[in-house]
Amino acid sequence: MKTIVEVAVGLPVSRTFHYLIPEHMRGSFQVGMRVLVPFKGRKVTGFAIDFLDRPPEGIEEKLREVEDLLDEAPLIEPKMLRFYRWISDYYLYPLGEVIKTGLPPGLHLKSELILSLTAAGFDSLHQGNLGPAAEKVLREIARCGKISLKGILKTFPNFPSRSQLFSMKRKGLLHMEASLEGKEVKPKLERIVRYQESESVPPISKKESGILKWIEERKEISYSELNKRFKSPSKCLRSLQEKRLISIIPREVCRNHSVQSELNPYPKPELTSDQEKVLGEILRGIDSKRYAPFLIHGVTGSGKTEVYLRAIEAVLRQGREAIILVPEISLTPQLLSRFKDRFEENLVLLHSGLGRGERYDQWRKIWRGEAKIALGTRSAIFAPFKNVGIIIVDEEHDPAYKQEEKLKYHARDIAVVRVKEAEATLLLGSATPSLESFYNAEKGKFRLLALPERIEGKSLPKVEVVDMRGEQGLLSEKLKAALRKNIEEKRQSLLFLNRRGFANFILCPECGFTFKCPNCSVTLTYHMRDRTLQCHYCDYRIKAPGDCPKCEGHRLRGMGVGTERLEHEIKDLFPGKEIGRMDRDTTTKRQSHQQILKGLQSGKTDILVGTQMIVKGHDFPNVTFVGVISADASLHFPDFRSGERTFQLLTQAAGRAGRGEAAGEVVIQTLNPDHYSIVRAKDHDFDGFYREEIGFRRSLGYPPFFRFINFRLTGNSEKGTKTLAEEMGRIGQSLLKRGFEKGIELLGPSTAPFVRMKGKFRIQMIAKGVNSRLLHQFAEELAKRMEGQMKGRGIHLDIDVDPIFLL
């Protein structure tokens, strides 16, 4: 029996640690279980990833014992652990944090450090022999009595640092104690009342007899159902239990209130000849039981979803499992209705809109083998299936598949890795494939399948572009006329504007003052509903003042437009009509996405205004008009993919129109009517756009011809972050001279597009090259050298690896 366990702790530390297994735990330990271990004065959750007879050579840590074993069976099976290790290695991110990302919330316990003043600390305060900053901190701790280390660092972001607080502890001014935090999610149990056969029934009351007869008819019933049927049944149930006429047992129940869809499913249709051809190719891949990657390029409304459903049916017949990824929570209600209709209870839903308990229960259904299909947003790629047969990435081009915080993974890319490991089938589907995926298909890495026409011979919508340089106001006359005509014909319309709020910012015309976020390098957006100014990055908000705080002028003016203002204008233009809005502000409540889409499906909503949530994948036959208010919003973003994003959004928006009996119409408003992204979207010309864009990428040295890795430093101090960035640049240049100079070019360090975000200053350096392996070696070496430089400076290095083109 091995006595040492290697543990990946769920914290941002780059290596794993080793602990002794207490004798009483040795027979129970397995790889993949959670453990509670001591770590730097506190207790944290870790994951057992290996067992050893002795510590590896060179490990000088003093081995401490595991505090507790948190599981009776492994949460992570070997295949998933290999997947997590690959992600950790590729994205240069701590293994414990990767595993934590893959598990549902509520499975991670850790202790936090609680600070209080010692007698010496109180004496120093009274004697006044502290510096002003230290005195301020100690006074706050004295006022609170006890406060967490995290709390004091949040209250005073610039002073003290963590190391300064530990210095105060060493001087005897502070006392620190560990306290376990984090509420672990547990299975929900419900009491079940079960009828028990008996040869003779002892004397029972009339009420007891009525209850017993009711239970006998049903054999077993939940306690909550009995409570609804009989008034105060507890006493009678106790009596019946004592007489051994019933038994009461606990049973785990699934919390799934948010996993129901009220939208109507579609009947199973006949396949078109194009669909049959595509499905035939996919079925051959499924039957091979080998790695089979496909890219389905199908125009909007060509029936990709039905192909997905038929492919899943084939995988289930083999006894294997399926994962379906969608980019937005807003897409899940309509897909859920179709999947539920086809697969009933064999399906679970995984996304961040579920409550903690619901998400935990859905995850457990997969883990216990009670469900074979997982539908969800990017985190569903971590569904703990043991025998995956297919992974489907719908709208594979969508940037929402990239996680931008903490572990910066791309769900589409790691889906490729998971499918390859499982020897399974991969379906990437889109009307506007990403350039990287289409390029991979051209190079033979993916098999390209085409659905070039809409089902039932329906035509793509007619698209008109309006040059807003000759128009007055927010809405062009052409767009207003199209809306009016649609309402008269009792049809529905979508209006797309990819910016929420009422006004982009508030300006004082007398002195030029604008309200800026104190934590981010952006102006505050005005929201009329609650009269607030909000930051859409850190959620900072203040009440909107009536006068300018700088010059006290009275003529504050809202500049720019968001979905809230657009909604107001449409309501004024069409009084008495049902106008809906779908953006992040209107979808914060549970099931709000579903309720908004239900209004559209039922015909109650005449016009739905919204951000990109409304233009992705929805299929409502009575929507015949789509208006794009400003096609320029994404065009000038500081990103080499801005032209591609604009083309994709416009094509996807246009694709919502004319999916029923009536033909569709689209109006795109823009100040750049001759831009190739807009012209190609107008003509539904993906091939033309691809040829033009790929030419630009090749000549400028952008992906997919070159790889990028972004090294971003974030810190509280602008000066400290800049100094460390300069050091990072020097280290990078020195590495180039030591074997990397032929394959890598460094850009920067320079400030990030938003120099300050959520109170942190951001400076970045980009490594660019063709050879991905060489780039990765460079990144590993740079990260290793920067680790020592960052110690104790309160600055963090984020490494962002651009999408994978290897596989």
Side-chain angles (χ1 to χ4, degrees):
M1 180 66 68
K2 295 182 179 180
T3 58
I4 294 170
V5 60
E6 186 181 0
V7 173
V9 294
L11 294 171
V13 290
S14 58
R15 68 182 185 87
T16 56
F17 296 86
H18 298 84
Y19 292 86
L20 288 170
I21 303 172
E23 199 168 332
H24 68 279
M25 292 184 193
R26 286 177 192 169
S28 309
F29 247 103
Q30 292 181 60
V31 166
M33 288 180 164
R34 292 175 304 147
V35 291
L36 195 66
V37 292
F39 187 83
K40 293 189 177 180
R42 51 187 177 147
K43 297 172 188 174
V44 298
T45 302
F47 307 95
I49 61 169
D50 201 3
F51 298 115
L52 303 91
D53 292 314
R54 62 181 67 85
E57 286 183 25
I59 296 288
E60 297 174 3
E61 60 191 309
K62 184 183 174 184
L63 295 187
R64 301 169 71 185
E65 284 195 340
V66 170
E67 291 268 345
D68 197 6
L69 187 57
L70 299 176
D71 301 312
E72 293 179 5
L75 292 186
I76 307 151
E77 54 106 25
K79 204 179 280 187
M80 279 303 288
L81 185 55
R82 284 197 299 274
F83 182 50
Y84 288 138
R85 282 186 187 275
W86 186 95
I87 292 168
S88 173
D89 291 342
Y90 184 80
Y91 289 103
L92 302 170
Y93 203 75
L95 178 58
E97 288 281 272
V98 172
I99 296 172
K100 200 166 85 171
T101 302
L103 295 177
L107 291 180
H108 194 74
L109 293 173
K110 63 180 178 181
S111 63
E112 62 178 357
L113 291 173
I114 305 298
L115 313 185
S116 57
L117 289 194
T118 61
F122 280 110
D123 290 344
S124 294
L125 267 182
H126 296 319
Q127 290 163 12
N129 57 7
L130 297 163
E135 183 177 333
K136 198 174 178 183
V137 170
L138 262 62
R139 285 203 182 281
E140 176 64 15
I141 297 171
R143 185 187 69 79
C144 297
K146 288 187 175 184
I147 185 170
S148 69
L149 176 68
K150 192 164 54 178
I152 205 73
L153 290 173
K154 192 174 180 181
T155 307
F156 301 101
N158 298 318
F159 178 90
S161 67
R162 190 182 180 93
S163 58
Q164 286 166 326
L165 287 167
F166 276 93
S167 174
M168 291 180 188
K169 176 181 181 276
R170 286 193 295 273
K171 290 173 184 174
L173 304 177
L174 288 181
H175 176 66
M176 294 185 182
E177 61 180 347
S179 171
L180 206 61
E181 67 161 2
K183 189 177 179 184
E184 189 174 16
V185 175
K186 298 282 188 184
K188 183 181 179 183
L189 299 175
E190 184 178 47
R191 286 183 293 173
I192 299 295
V193 182
R194 183 177 289 168
Y195 179 75
Q196 287 195 180
E197 296 283 350
S198 178
E199 291 181 7
S200 60
V201 178
I204 56 175
S205 69
K206 186 178 178 182
K207 185 176 180 180
E208 288 171 354
S209 177
I211 291 173
L212 185 63
K213 187 179 178 186
W214 202 72
I215 297 169
E216 184 182 4
E217 288 168 359
R218 288 155 183 79
K219 302 301 179 189
E220 63 178 38
I221 190 75
S222 71
Y223 199 93
S224 56
E225 284 295 312
L226 269 167
N227 256 325
K228 289 175 191 172
R229 179 69 177 79
F230 298 96
K231 191 176 179 182
S232 306
S234 301
K235 190 177 177 183
C236 293
L237 290 173
R238 275 196 304 272
S239 172
L240 291 170
Q241 189 178 18
E242 286 167 5
K243 292 166 183 172
R244 298 187 179 180
L245 299 174
I246 62 168
S247 60
I248 301 176
I249 55 167
R251 180 187 291 170
E252 186 176 335
V253 291
C254 186
R255 290 160 281 206
N256 63 354
H257 306 297
S258 302
V259 191
Q260 309 300 323
S261 179
E262 297 175 26
L263 300 184
N264 299 327
Y266 287 80
K268 191 171 184 176
E270 291 289 322
L271 294 182
T272 66
S273 59
D274 284 336
Q275 284 176 311
E276 283 182 344
K277 186 179 174 184
V278 165
L279 182 62
E281 292 287 338
I282 293 166
L283 292 179
R284 278 190 282 278
I286 291 169
D287 290 340
S288 75
K289 295 187 180 178
R290 296 174 67 185
Y291 173 56
F294 298 94
L295 173 63
I296 304 177
H297 178 206
V299 298
T300 54
S302 59
K304 292 185 289 294
T305 304
E306 186 58 36
V307 172
Y308 301 159
L309 291 164
R310 304 282 178 111
I312 291 167
E313 286 172 347
V315 166
L316 294 184
R317 285 195 293 271
Q318 292 181 347
R320 301 182 81 183
E321 299 131 351
I323 298 172
I324 305 93
L325 302 182
V326 293
E328 292 266 1
I329 296 172
S330 62
L331 278 177
T332 54
Q334 197 168 32
L335 271 178
L336 182 61
S337 68
R338 293 186 70 172
F339 275 76
K340 280 267 187 188
D341 182 59
R342 198 71 60 90
F343 301 114
E344 298 178 343
E345 297 307 310
N346 208 5
L347 173 75
V348 298
L349 198 58
L350 292 171
H351 61 68
S352 59
L354 303 179
R356 279 160 58 98
E358 289 176 319
R359 208 161 159 195
Y360 173 76
D361 287 353
Q362 295 290 295
W363 185 90
R364 270 174 65 84
K365 279 183 77 175
I366 299 171
W367 181 70
R368 293 188 307 198
E370 294 171 3
K372 296 288 185 183
I373 306 166
L375 168 66
T377 49
R378 62 176 177 252
S379 61
I381 191 59
F382 298 109
F385 288 123
K386 294 179 178 66
N387 189 19
V388 172
I390 192 168
I391 297 180
I392 297 166
V393 186
D394 191 28
E395 312 294 356
E396 66 84 27
H397 66 276
D398 201 291
Y401 285 122
K402 173 76 182 296
Q403 179 158 289
E404 295 296 349
E405 293 187 352
K406 296 187 177 179
L407 172 59
K408 293 175 170 59
Y409 70 93
H410 198 298
R412 177 199 62 212
D413 293 351
I414 63 175
V416 177
V417 176
R418 189 166 182 190
V419 160
K420 198 165 190 180
E421 165 75 16
E423 298 225 317
T425 299
L426 174 72
L427 297 188
L428 306 178
S430 178
T432 54
S434 66
L435 258 75
E436 291 83 8
S437 292
F438 204 79
Y439 182 77
N440 272 341
E442 282 196 325
K443 293 295 176 185
K445 293 178 182 178
F446 300 150
R447 178 76 186 274
L448 182 63
L449 305 174
L451 291 171
E453 294 180 1
R454 284 188 159 183
I455 55 174
E456 298 174 5
K458 294 167 188 168
S459 60
L460 288 166
K462 176 189 170 190
V463 181
E464 290 188 70
V465 174
V466 176
D467 186 348
M468 292 302 285
R469 290 173 295 188
E471 297 281 342
Q472 297 292 318
L474 177 61
L475 304 175
S476 63
E477 290 305 316
K478 188 175 282 292
L479 194 144
K480 287 181 197 173
L483 283 172
R484 206 171 284 116
K485 176 172 171 282
N486 228 34
I487 284 174
E488 286 168 4
E489 293 176 354
K490 296 192 172 1
R491 303 199 185 277
Q492 295 167 296
S493 306
L494 300 180
L495 292 180
F496 166 53
L497 176 61
N498 210 18
R499 194 181 289 123
R500 61 193 175 102
F502 191 84
N504 298 358
F505 61 95
I506 298 290
L507 173 76
C508 175
E510 295 175 23
C511 71
F513 176 82
T514 57
F515 293 86
K516 291 187 172 68
C517 175
N519 307 313
C520 309
S521 303
V522 293
T523 53
L524 297 174
T525 302
Y526 176 56
H527 289 252
M528 179 180 266
R529 185 171 60 177
D530 53 4
R531 309 276 175 182
T532 60
L533 292 166
Q534 298 178 21
C535 174
H536 290 168
Y537 293 93
C538 72
D539 207 32
Y540 172 84
R541 58 186 68 203
I542 56 171
K543 280 288 177 189
D547 300 329
C548 174
K550 185 177 178 183
C551 72
E552 299 183 354
H554 305 305
R555 296 192 299 131
L556 292 178
R557 186 182 300 164
M559 307 298 288
V561 62
T563 47
E564 190 180 23
R565 181 178 161 195
L566 177 59
E567 179 190 23
H568 275 73
E569 293 219 7
I570 296 298
K571 282 180 174 176
D572 290 343
L573 199 60
F574 301 106
K577 296 301 172 185
E578 190 68 34
I579 314 298
R581 174 160 61 96
M582 190 175 194
D583 56 28
R584 197 175 295 175
D585 297 323
T586 62
T587 54
T588 52
K589 291 181 182 174
R590 218 178 262 189
Q591 302 221 326
S592 47
H593 296 92
Q594 188 160 280
Q595 293 309 312
I596 293 168
L597 295 176
K598 197 177 171 187
L600 205 59
Q601 187 182 67
S602 66
K604 181 184 173 187
T605 301
D606 296 303
I607 301 171
L608 180 64
V609 172
T611 55
Q612 57 185 344
M613 287 182 182
I614 69 169
V615 300
K616 296 182 180 181
H618 300 301
D619 186 353
F620 295 105
N622 201 38
V623 171
T624 54
F625 176 72
V626 172
V628 179
I629 305 306
S630 173
D632 313 300
S634 58
L635 202 53
H636 303 300
F637 200 76
D639 183 348
F640 70 87
R641 290 190 175 96
S642 61
E644 182 185 7
R645 298 271 192 262
T646 301
F647 173 80
Q648 288 165 344
L649 277 171
L650 295 181
T651 304
Q652 292 289 337
R656 299 317 106 206
R659 296 168 80 108
E661 302 277 326
E665 185 184 352
V666 180
V667 170
I668 297 173
Q669 299 185 158
T670 177
L671 296 169
N672 297 275
D674 299 322
H675 194 281
Y676 70 97
S677 295
I678 292 169
V679 173
R680 298 294 187 184
K682 171 185 176 291
D683 297 335
H684 306 285
D685 183 9
F686 172 81
D687 288 336
F689 171 78
Y690 175 77
R691 297 294 158 214
E692 199 159 349
E693 182 72 12
I694 205 79
F696 290 145
R697 298 278 184 92
R698 185 181 283 109
S699 61
L700 294 170
Y702 284 139
F705 304 101
F706 278 74
R707 299 283 315 285
F708 288 165
I709 297 182
N710 189 356
F711 303 91
R712 181 176 290 156
L713 291 169
T714 58
N716 294 325
S717 161
E718 183 175 16
K719 184 181 176 184
T721 308
K722 277 184 178 176
T723 302
L724 192 56
E726 288 165 6
E727 181 61 28
M728 179 171 71
R730 283 192 290 272
I731 292 171
Q733 292 298 335
S734 73
L735 286 173
L736 291 189
K737 293 169 186 172
R738 295 180 188 180
F740 293 103
E741 70 275 5
K742 289 184 180 177
I744 295 173
E745 178 187 353
L746 288 182
L747 309 174
S750 60
T751 54
F754 294 106
V755 66
R756 198 158 181 247
M757 188 73 70
K758 299 182 180 178
K760 305 284 185 183
F761 291 94
R762 306 166 353 128
I763 300 176
Q764 65 189 33
M765 179 175 76
I766 294 172
K768 176 182 176 183
V770 176
N771 187 319
S772 60
R773 192 166 281 104
L774 192 68
L775 263 177
H776 208 270
Q777 287 169 1
F778 174 83
E780 283 181 317
E781 192 61 38
L782 181 70
K784 201 182 295 178
R785 297 198 182 193
M786 286 299 295
E787 197 171 336
Q789 297 290 327
M790 293 185 297
K791 203 166 186 179
R793 294 169 77 165
I795 298 172
H796 182 69
L797 174 64
D798 278 322
I799 301 175
D800 192 351
V801 183
D802 209 54
I804 300 165
F805 312 127
L806 304 171
L807 301 170

